[in-house]
């Protein structure tokens, strides 16, 4: 056992709720994917300046002013996600409704503002459908990590029993589970409590991550817009978002004498609200410029979680050792999340009736993510002050570790005949990490769930075609291929700190390389009237 106090992590574990949230969870619900109709997806979702498509309206509300008729549209999607670690592939198939929308066209018979349009759309903004299995030998053991982060904690506050306070109402979940299963033991000297593990001297830990994730983020847009003097479109959207997410992990670590399993189960639900404003300017018939602003989404979140350790490390547990388990029981946490705002700059060239070339650029500053405690009634002034600053350290981590990130989307459409069109597109979504944070592999995890992904850039390659059966009815098909390479950490790296200065690496998590690929097939059917 190394007698090292880790400044950053000790602050984190003191400050959080019993399970609480950190930068990992905040990013998960703030980073978006490409979504939309088959036509928009086939063109890389580069629709911010084009409008006339329900996805274009979701990107830039001014796009609703391009409509000159009413429309009903829906998109079905079949998706296969593959997670590869080493020679292990895990696949998950998903079939669902990707979007559904309606636009109502209401002419005003006015030369300046000839109409006003209203629209509603539902979009599946993000999916969490992943199975991951990673196996390998680690450079450092999780039980060493458990021992080191427990430095300075009074073991009496972690004891479990009918006549003792519930230790899981405090912040140190991982330490509590490890201490009560005797994965770590305490020792008190003149410097206070420190912890050691008797199991892995000279042994290489064999580690396995088993992860199952399910869920979605759905978005509901209510939009109004018009056109002014046939050159300027304006639009406003009120959007409501819904999160449903379940996350199950098993971390298995074994040595020559046996092993143990750390299990975490987290279920998260949330509802949020935000707004979008946009304009599209058409200086000439063949060229359009778009600008849109998306406010943050303000979420109210509810989380139910529990953890368990099953221990079978064998005779080296010492006198009185018995294999067994410790279960935390279920707990509920409520918190508020504010996602980053977003700016979207777009341009499109419409050349006659045959060719369209379009590009979008998005900028999101992930440093603006904020966690907070929701308002509670009947609090004293002191309690209000505590709530107001409860997530200060987590928000400080977010501000330090994240940065502004870009998204670039380009697409083209060529109309071979008045009925048949072909489309191609590409999109790139930049990861939001500061380079120093990404290299250090030192995320501020919360509770006992230490497994996290350091996500890489995302690339989308898209294509498809569309066919118009008559002036009213049309169908579009798209294929979307998505790639992303992540670093999958079983637990964060730990460093020796001198004040705020990072020193030597003392716990090496040796992350797995996780290669994610996804293939989507989309069918959109629409009717204009």
């Amino acid at each position: 056992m190394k007698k090292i106090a880790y400044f950053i992590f000790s602050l984190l574990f003191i400050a959080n709720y019993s399970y609480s949230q950190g930068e990992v969870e905040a990013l998960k619900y703030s980073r978006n994917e490409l979504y939309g109709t088959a036509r928009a997806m086939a063109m890389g979702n580069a629709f911010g300046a084009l409008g006339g498509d329900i996805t274009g309206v979701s990107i830039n509300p001014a796009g609703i002013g391009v409509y000159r008729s009413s429309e009903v549209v829906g998109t079905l999607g079949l998706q296969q996600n593959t997670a590869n670690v080493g020679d292990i592939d895990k696949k998950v198939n998903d079939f669902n409704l990707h979007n559904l929308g309606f636009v109502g066209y209401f002419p005003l018979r006015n030369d300046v503002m000839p109409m006003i349009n209203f629209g509603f759309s539902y979009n599946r903004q993000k999916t969490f459908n992943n199975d991951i299995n990673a196996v390998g030998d680690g450079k450092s053991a999780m039980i060493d990590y458990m021992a080191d982060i427990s430095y300075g904690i009074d073991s009496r506050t972690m004891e479990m029993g009918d006549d003792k306070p519930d230790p899981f109402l405090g912040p140190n979940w991982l330490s509590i589970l490890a201490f009560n299963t005797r994965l770590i033991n305490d020792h008190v000297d003149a410097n206070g409590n420190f912890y050691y593990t008797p199991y892995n001297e000279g042994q290489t830990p064999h580690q396995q991550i088993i992860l199952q994730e399910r869920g979605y983020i759905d978005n509901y847009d209510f939009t109004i817009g018009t056109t002014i003097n046939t050159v300027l479109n304006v639009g406003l959207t009120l959007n409501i978002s819904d999160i449903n997410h379940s996350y199950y992990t098993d971390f298995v670590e074994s040595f020559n004498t046996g092993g143990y399993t750390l299990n975490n189960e987290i279920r998260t639900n949330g509802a949020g609200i935000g707004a979008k404003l946009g304009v599209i300017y058409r200086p000439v018939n063949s060229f359009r410029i778009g600008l849109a602003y998306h406010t943050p989404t303000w979420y109210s979140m509810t989380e139910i979680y529990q953890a368990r350790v099953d221990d079978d490390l064998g005779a080296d547990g010492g006198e009185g050792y018995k294999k067994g388990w410790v279960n935390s029981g279920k707990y509920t946490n409520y918190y508020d999340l504010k996602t980053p705002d977003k700016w979207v700059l777009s341009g499109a060239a419409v050349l006659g009736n045959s060719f369209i070339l379009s590009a979008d650029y998005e900028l999101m500053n992930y440093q603006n993510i904020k966690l907070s405690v929701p308002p509670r009634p009947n609090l004293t002034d002191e309690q209000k002050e505590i709530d107001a600053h409860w997530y200060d350290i987590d928000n400080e981590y977010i501000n330090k570790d994240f940065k502004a990130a870009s998204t670039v989307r380009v697409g083209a459409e060529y109309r071979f005949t008045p009925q048949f069109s072909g489309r191609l597109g590409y999109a790139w979504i930049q990861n939001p990490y500061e380079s120093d944070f990404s290299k250090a592999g030192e995320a501020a995890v919360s509770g006992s769930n230490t497994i996290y992904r350091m996500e890489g850039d995302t690339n989308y390659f898209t294509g498809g075609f569309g066919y118009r059966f008559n002036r009213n009815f049309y169908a579009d098909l798209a294929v979307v291929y998505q790639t992303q390479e992540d670093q999958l950490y079983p637990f964060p790296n730990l460093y020796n700190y001198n004040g705020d200065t990072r020193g030597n690496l003392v716990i090496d998590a040796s992350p797995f390389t996780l290669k994610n690929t996804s293939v989507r097939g989309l069918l959109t059917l629409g009717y204009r009237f």
Side-chain angles (χ1 to χ4, degrees):
M1 167 62 190
K2 308 169 184 68
K3 295 182 182 178
I4 301 170
Y6 299 99
F7 175 76
I8 289 181
F9 283 85
S10 64
L11 282 179
L12 172 72
F13 276 77
I14 290 169
N16 278 351
Y17 276 124
S18 60
Y19 211 97
S20 192
Q21 301 313 306
E23 58 191 354
V24 174
E25 291 83 7
L27 178 63
K28 183 179 296 183
Y29 304 126
S30 299
R31 197 176 185 206
N32 294 331
E33 299 176 343
L34 291 195
Y35 63 91
T37 63
R39 183 188 181 199
M41 292 292 282
M43 295 177 63
N45 248 28
F47 249 80
L50 287 173
D53 181 278
I54 205 70
T55 298
V57 175
S58 182
I59 297 168
N60 186 336
I64 200 169
V66 177
Y67 280 89
R68 294 298 181 268
S69 62
S70 298
E71 179 182 61
V72 177
V73 62
T75 302
L76 295 172
L78 177 63
Q79 181 170 347
Q80 182 178 82
N81 297 329
T82 303
N84 167 264
V85 180
D87 58 356
I88 301 176
D89 284 343
K90 298 292 288 185
K91 299 180 185 292
V92 177
N93 296 319
D94 179 37
F95 177 78
N96 58 54
L97 179 68
H98 276 238
N99 67 33
L100 184 67
F102 167 78
V103 173
Y105 169 71
F106 299 93
L108 298 179
R109 313 306 181 190
N110 184 302
D111 292 337
V112 177
M113 194 171 71
M115 50 73 183
I116 186 167
N117 293 342
F118 298 91
F120 163 79
S121 68
Y122 155 80
N123 289 282
R124 177 136 294 182
Q125 184 173 306
K126 187 173 185 176
T127 59
F128 303 102
N129 292 323
N130 300 290
D131 285 350
I132 298 172
N133 194 342
V135 180
D137 292 337
K139 295 180 180 178
S140 297
M142 165 76 95
I143 51 177
D144 282 334
Y145 172 84
M146 294 172 174
D148 281 1
I149 64 168
S150 304
Y151 178 85
I153 301 173
D154 188 337
S155 61
R156 292 172 296 181
T157 66
M158 298 194 293
E159 294 175 349
M160 298 175 64
D162 294 338
D163 59 341
K164 300 180 184 298
D166 185 354
F168 291 104
L169 295 178
N172 307 300
W173 273 50
L174 192 59
S175 302
I176 295 165
L177 291 165
F179 179 73
N180 285 281
T181 48
R182 299 189 65 181
L183 297 179
I184 62 174
N185 295 328
D186 69 323
H187 176 78
V188 181
D189 62 13
N191 296 317
N193 288 72
F194 73 93
Y195 294 80
Y196 67 95
T197 177
Y199 299 112
N200 65 325
E201 291 296 331
Q203 298 184 42
T204 298
H206 186 71
Q207 298 169 341
Q208 182 178 15
I209 293 173
I210 303 170
L211 185 154
Q212 184 184 80
E213 188 176 23
R214 296 291 185 271
Y216 55 81
I217 300 178
D218 284 346
N219 196 63
Y220 305 86
D221 286 350
F222 302 86
T223 304
I224 182 172
T226 187
T227 186
I228 300 173
N229 289 326
T230 70
V231 297
L232 181 68
N233 296 336
V234 295
L236 171 66
T237 294
L238 172 68
N239 63 282
I240 298 171
S241 297
D242 171 39
I243 294 176
N244 184 296
H245 182 226
S246 60
Y247 190 78
Y248 307 91
T249 64
D250 283 328
F251 177 78
V252 183
E253 187 165 65
S254 56
F255 304 92
N256 296 337
T257 55
Y260 69 92
T261 300
L262 169 65
N263 170 265
N264 281 275
E265 177 182 337
I266 309 170
R267 294 177 177 269
T268 304
N269 289 280
I273 190 169
K276 309 171 189 177
L277 304 99
V279 296
I280 296 175
Y281 177 61
R282 187 170 58 185
V284 294
N285 286 335
S286 59
F287 187 67
R288 301 172 184 179
I289 303 170
L291 179 66
Y293 174 71
H294 297 202
T295 71
T297 300
W298 289 271
Y299 282 106
S300 177
M301 309 287 283
T302 301
E303 189 172 69
I304 300 173
Y305 47 85
Q306 63 179 339
R308 176 185 173 110
V309 169
D310 290 277
D311 163 36
D312 185 15
L313 272 168
D316 285 351
E319 183 180 351
Y321 170 80
K322 295 180 181 179
K323 73 175 183 179
W325 54 269
V326 170
N327 193 326
S328 68
K330 288 189 177 182
Y331 293 78
T332 303
N333 184 40
Y334 304 94
Y335 67 98
D336 289 343
L337 169 67
K338 186 189 83 169
T339 67
D341 56 354
K342 180 195 303 184
W343 288 94
V344 186
L345 178 64
S346 310
V350 182
L351 306 179
N353 294 319
S354 299
F355 185 68
I356 296 174
L357 182 64
S358 182
D360 290 355
Y361 173 77
E362 287 185 1
L363 184 65
M364 295 180 70
N365 188 351
Y366 289 87
Q367 293 175 310
N368 293 334
I369 297 173
K370 288 292 183 293
L371 294 163
S372 60
V373 176
R376 298 187 292 162
N378 305 320
L379 297 182
T380 66
D381 290 341
E382 181 180 4
Q383 289 170 325
K384 291 178 182 178
E385 185 71 12
I386 291 172
D387 280 4
H389 296 284
W390 198 266
Y391 283 102
D392 282 359
I393 293 174
D394 301 278
N395 291 326
E396 183 179 325
Y397 279 121
I398 289 169
N399 186 263
K400 177 183 176 182
D401 295 338
F402 296 160
K403 65 179 182 180
S406 301
T407 296
V408 177
R409 302 189 294 261
V410 294
E413 177 183 86
Y414 185 76
R415 184 171 294 177
F416 295 97
T417 71
Q419 291 79 34
F420 181 74
S421 300
R423 299 149 187 155
L424 289 173
Y426 170 76
W428 169 74
I429 301 178
Q430 183 184 23
N431 78 75
Y433 307 118
E434 288 287 355
S435 59
D436 181 64
F437 170 67
S438 181
K439 292 175 183 176
E442 192 185 19
V445 295
S446 60
S448 56
N449 179 43
T450 62
I451 298 169
Y452 71 96
R453 289 189 287 180
M454 195 70 75
E455 298 181 5
D457 295 349
T458 310
N459 293 277
Y460 293 85
F461 303 89
T462 68
F465 58 88
Y467 189 81
R468 301 198 172 276
F469 297 91
N470 52 49
R471 62 180 297 176
N472 302 109
F473 182 63
Y474 65 90
D476 296 312
L477 289 172
V479 175
V480 180
Y481 179 69
Q482 174 184 347
T483 66
Q484 180 178 303
E485 185 172 302
D486 304 336
Q487 296 299 303
L488 177 65
Y489 281 81
F491 47 87
N493 288 331
L494 283 182
Y495 295 83
N496 187 4
Y497 272 83
N498 182 11
D500 290 331
T501 304
R502 184 186 295 126
N504 297 326
L505 177 66
V506 292
I507 298 290
D508 186 347
S510 54
F512 298 93
T513 298
L514 170 63
K515 297 178 181 179
N516 305 284
T517 58
S518 173
V519 179
R520 267 184 278 178
L522 301 171
L523 169 65
T524 296
L525 299 176
Y527 184 80
R528 292 187 171 181
F529 56 96

